[in-house]
Amino acid sequence: MVNLSRICYRKYGNLVDNLRLYVRGGSGGMGLPRLGGQGGKGGDVWMVSKKEVTLKRIHDKYPHKRFVAGVGANSSVKGLKGEKGGDYELHVPVGITVTNDDGRVMGELNAEGDRVLVAKGGQGGSFHSAFTPSKGQTKHIRLDLKLIADIGLVGFPNAGKSSLLTVISHASPQIANYAFTTLRPEIGKVMYDDHKQISVADLPGLIEGAHLNKGMGHKFLKHVERTKQLLFVVDVCGFQLASKTPFRSAFEAVQLLTKELELYKEDLLSKPALLVVNKMDLPDAEHKLEELREQLENPEEFSHLLPHDMIPRTNLAFRDVVPVSTITGLGLDQLKRRLRGSLDEEAAKASEPLHRERLGALRPSRTPLPVWGP
């Protein structure tokens, strides 16, 4: 059993989950017309996946974000065929999708050592090109992390997501009472006694209309796609996005969040999800929690509380509803247990087919023995 009182923590800074880079293959070398010499080919630019590398490290180490391969050597009397220019290999994290500026996928780096060619070098000058070399390819490319965290916090601004991340992982997101406090994902990691780690991402606060790219809509929803499981966070007393907008209950918050995900990409609702009911230290919180539980058990009976076009077609079945208070610490240990349990449960499901396959391979063959005649 994990002793939660002895959990240690590691602080993580702002996550860099995508980068735009300039890449250029090397130019070819000059040919030598009088002797028919061929110039060397320009070097290529490669993305090569490597563990322990992060996009943030690349961002900090190469602020110019320009990567150029070597130029091919000119043909000469001493060497009629010029040497190839040096390739440029940039180490990037495992789990990267490489796309060009048009959004076309150039390749994926799913395992350590995977390679993607992003810019070819130019050809050396030769008889066929009047001994004139060609330039290398020039491109802008994007590196996108496919998975940023085990758990993604989903909620409207001021639901208490940043405070929750702070108390369960000792990350230090910016916290204030206004919309879009979190401008990019903040990652915290909870480390247990047995060295198990769970990464939790505080995603930019969602607003109604995010699926139409209002606010930080599509950026937020893209981050949601990159987490294994979802942790909805709602204020037990409800929320109000702005002074002139209607006040909504915790149940309405859950349903509106569900609808925004559904309108953007319905597949997101297939992710395992838990619900945190935050701010349980507020007056009348217990009564409001019981009211919310009843509404979640019978959502159709309370659908009249929502605008007709914001009623979700699919009601989420949360694996658990965990009431917490980041002020008093109520429910935080239970939440940590449930997060780990939910992830372990999914990992066991994913490994079950492989386990059955291996068991089948170990079973003795049932091929009947040959019967020998007299």
Side-chain angles (χ1 to χ4, degrees), residues 99-161:
T99 59
N100 62 16
D101 260 358
D102 296 328
R104 182 178 63 83
V105 176
M106 302 174 68
E108 295 187 347
L109 300 159
N110 297 317
E112 186 167 24
D114 284 356
R115 300 164 60 86
V116 173
L117 176 63
V118 294
K120 294 180 180 179
Q123 295 298 321
S126 66
F127 174 80
H128 300 290
S129 63
F131 300 97
T132 302
S134 61
K135 294 182 178 180
Q137 291 180 332
T138 298
K139 296 179 184 178
H140 282 96
I141 64 169
R142 293 183 181 275
L143 306 181
D144 283 294
L145 272 177
K146 292 193 291 183
L147 181 68
I148 63 172
D150 297 315
I151 305 290
L153 302 182
V154 178
F156 289 114
N158 304 325
K161 303 188 308 301

Side-chain angles (χ1 to χ4, degrees), residues 63-84:
H64 57 281
K65 302 182 187 65
R66 292 172 61 90
F67 304 95
V68 181
V71 176
N74 294 334
S75 173
S76 67
V77 174
K78 293 182 179 180
L80 287 181
K81 184 171 176 59
E83 291 187 4
K84 181 180 183 295

Side-chain angles (χ1 to χ4, degrees), residues 3-56:
N3 183 357
L4 287 169
S5 64
R6 294 176 60 197
I7 292 176
C8 60
Y9 302 91
R10 180 178 295 168
K11 180 179 174 182
Y12 281 71
N14 277 340
L15 172 78
V16 176
D17 65 332
N18 66 87
L19 281 179
R20 185 172 184 260
L21 310 177
Y22 171 87
V23 293
R24 189 177 76 215
S27 296
M30 290 291 296
L32 188 62
R34 64 188 177 90
L35 295 177
Q38 181 177 345
K41 180 183 178 299
D44 304 321
V45 182
W46 295 81
M47 301 292 110
V48 182
S49 56
K50 184 178 181 181
K51 291 181 179 177
E52 308 304 326
V53 176
T54 65
L55 291 183
K56 187 176 191 304

Side-chain angles (χ1 to χ4, degrees), residues 227-265:
T227 59
K228 293 180 182 176
Q229 300 193 11
L230 305 179
L231 183 63
F232 281 55
V233 183
V234 297
D235 183 333
V236 68
C237 293
F239 75 103
Q240 188 177 24
L241 286 176
S243 59
K244 294 183 180 180
T245 60
F247 191 85
R248 299 193 182 280
S249 67
F251 170 73
E252 290 174 87
V254 172
Q255 297 298 85
L256 289 171
L257 289 168
T258 302
K259 186 63 177 180
E260 288 295 342
L261 298 185
E262 179 183 274
L263 289 171
Y264 175 71
K265 184 174 289 188

Side-chain angles (χ1 to χ4, degrees), residues 225 230 261-272:
E225 290 184 83
L230 305 179
L261 298 185
E262 179 183 274
L263 289 171
Y264 175 71
K265 184 174 289 188
E266 199 163 359
D267 289 350
L268 293 177
L269 300 183
S270 65
K271 289 179 181 284

Side-chain angles (χ1 to χ4, degrees), residues 77-321:
V77 174
K78 293 182 179 180
L80 287 181
K81 184 171 176 59
E83 291 187 4
K84 181 180 183 295
D87 289 347
Y88 192 104
E89 295 187 355
L90 177 66
H91 289 133
V92 300
V94 176
I96 287 288
T97 299
V98 184
T99 59
N100 62 16
D101 260 358
D102 296 328
R104 182 178 63 83
V105 176
M106 302 174 68
E108 295 187 347
L109 300 159
N110 297 317
E112 186 167 24
D114 284 356
R115 300 164 60 86
V116 173
L117 176 63
V118 294
K120 294 180 180 179
Q123 295 298 321
S126 66
F127 174 80
H128 300 290
S129 63
F131 300 97
T132 302
S134 61
K135 294 182 178 180
Q137 291 180 332
T138 298
K139 296 179 184 178
H140 282 96
I141 64 169
R142 293 183 181 275
L143 306 181
D144 283 294
L145 272 177
K146 292 193 291 183
L147 181 68
I148 63 172
D150 297 315
I151 305 290
L153 302 182
V154 178
F156 289 114
N158 304 325
K161 303 188 308 301
S162 297
S163 298
L164 182 64
L165 182 67
T166 298
V167 296
I168 67 172
S169 73
H170 281 202
S172 301
Q174 184 181 1
I175 300 171
N177 188 32
Y178 54 86
F180 308 123
T181 300
T182 306
L183 298 178
R184 64 183 309 116
E186 182 87 20
I187 302 293
K189 285 208 176 184
V190 183
M191 298 176 63
Y192 296 83
D193 277 354
D194 59 356
H195 306 294
K196 170 76 174 182
Q197 298 183 33
I198 293 176
S199 54
V200 182
D202 178 17
L203 307 175
L206 190 63
I207 68 166
E208 293 177 59
H211 69 284
L212 299 174
N213 208 21
K214 292 182 180 178
M216 300 184 69
H218 284 179
K219 285 187 177 181
F220 167 86
L221 292 163
K222 181 181 72 171
H223 296 319
V224 172
E225 290 184 83
R226 297 174 178 176
T227 59
K228 293 180 182 176
Q229 300 193 11
L230 305 179
L231 183 63
F232 281 55
V233 183
V234 297
D235 183 333
V236 68
C237 293
F239 75 103
Q240 188 177 24
L241 286 176
S243 59
K244 294 183 180 180
T245 60
F247 191 85
R248 299 193 182 280
S249 67
F251 170 73
E252 290 174 87
V254 172
Q255 297 298 85
L256 289 171
L257 289 168
T258 302
K259 186 63 177 180
E260 288 295 342
L261 298 185
E262 179 183 274
L263 289 171
Y264 175 71
K265 184 174 289 188
E266 199 163 359
D267 289 350
L268 293 177
L269 300 183
S270 65
K271 289 179 181 284
L274 290 86
L275 173 63
V276 162
V277 184
N278 196 13
K279 306 186 183 181
M280 288 299 296
D281 52 285
L282 296 177
D284 205 26
E286 288 293 339
H287 170 72
K288 291 183 180 298
L289 175 63
E290 289 307 311
E291 186 178 79
L292 173 60
R293 288 186 187 275
E294 180 186 352
Q295 291 170 328
L296 291 174
E297 288 176 5
N298 306 283
E300 292 82 6
E301 295 182 16
F302 300 93
S303 59
H304 64 276
L305 298 173
L306 297 161
H308 180 73
D309 60 345
M310 291 305 292
I311 299 173
R313 292 194 301 270
T314 303
N315 289 301
L316 273 175
F318 293 105
R319 292 191 167 186
D320 206 348
V321 177

